[in-house]
Amino acid sequence: MDLILTKSKYRKFLIEFRQSDQDNADTNGETEVVFEDNKRYYFRAPNFCLVAYDIGGGRVDLTDYNHVTLSSSKGIEMLKVYLRHGGGTSTNMNQSLSTVVAATSEAARSKVVEAAFQRMIDGATINLHQYEIIFKAYNQPARFNGLLNNDGSYKPSWRALKKEDYLHFINSSEYNGDSTGMRKKITPL
């Protein structure tokens, strides 16, 4: 599956990526994403888990998946640099791979993140650090809104989360954090 950074092709990529992850969920299969013919990223289903990459020197399997803190502002050219660089040769998540995950996995999980990357493709610079709250707040809002089962598997109704889904969860009695603070962080995104 090709990742092409034009507005219509990126949208098409995310539709196909979401479907592939759902199709592979029962078997924990992998989806291969290709950028510029020879940069390959491998995502295990369910939930778009980046497990390996190949930037031309052979497959490198990751030993961890946790995001690293993303630097603030990114534009389309920096995203392309990170997609070309992958993890270098590292088996650990780094700034470059976290940005790749944001543009692929996180955008597939969240319409809020997808919209941010669409703006980036249009030429805007986005502050990815602001979106980390969305990256970390996926499972609970998805379960609360009836999109994931308790074990993290997809329900038949699964779709990418919308801003309203996050706010619906935050405003519920099930959320036990600072709802006012979270609303202030999520509403402007």
Side-chain angles (χ1 to χ4, degrees):
M1 167 178 320
D2 291 327
L3 172 57
I4 300 170
L5 298 176
T6 66
K7 200 166 189 174
S8 64
K9 292 191 178 183
Y10 181 66
R11 183 178 298 115
K12 181 178 184 269
F13 160 75
L14 287 174
I15 291 167
E16 291 174 359
F17 191 40
R18 290 174 181 128
Q19 188 60 56
S20 180
D21 199 74
Q22 287 179 289
D23 292 346
N24 289 322
D26 289 341
T27 62
N28 294 86
E30 289 184 8
T31 299
E32 180 184 83
V33 172
V34 180
F35 179 70
E36 293 183 341
D37 297 325
N38 65 346
K39 310 298 187 253
R40 300 178 187 285
Y41 294 89
Y42 303 91
F43 297 86
R44 185 182 60 235
N47 293 311
F48 317 96
C49 181
L50 178 65
V51 294
Y53 64 92
D54 179 352
I55 54 171
R59 181 177 166 130
V60 177
D61 291 313
L62 295 175
T63 57
D64 71 56
Y65 180 75
N66 295 325
H67 270 296
V68 300
T69 301
L70 294 166
S71 63
S72 55
S73 297
K74 300 262 187 283
I76 190 67
E77 292 308 316
M78 185 54 77
L79 175 58
K80 289 176 183 177
V81 167
Y82 285 156
L83 282 162
R84 290 176 187 130
H85 181 261
T89 57
S90 177
T91 61
N92 295 313
M93 187 64 71
N94 58 32
Q95 180 95 193
S96 180
L97 289 173
S98 277
T99 304
V100 170
V101 167
T104 55
S105 303
E106 302 296 354
R109 291 180 188 123
S110 173
K111 289 288 192 175
V112 176
V113 178
E114 176 183 353
F117 278 95
Q118 288 286 9
R119 289 191 304 275
M120 182 188 282
I121 289 168
D122 280 344
T125 299
I126 63 170
N127 183 345
L128 287 178
H129 185 69
Q130 289 178 307
Y131 290 84
E132 285 183 3
I133 194 72
I134 297 289
F135 305 161
K136 294 174 184 173
Y138 170 69
N139 287 323
Q140 288 180 307
R143 280 193 297 270
F144 180 79
N145 285 284
L147 304 174
L148 288 180
N149 292 308
N150 286 334
D151 66 358
S153 62
Y154 292 123
K155 286 194 171 187
S157 60
W158 184 87
R159 59 170 170 70
L161 287 171
K162 299 175 185 175
K163 187 183 298 189
E164 298 79 34
D165 297 322
Y166 296 102
L167 295 173
H168 183 230
F169 172 67
I170 290 164
N171 292 326
S172 75
S173 60
E174 191 170 312
Y175 182 70
N176 58 12
D178 175 11
S179 57
T180 302
M182 284 295 282
R183 275 192 303 278
K184 286 180 182 178
K185 290 178 181 179
I186 291 175
T187 301
L189 298 178

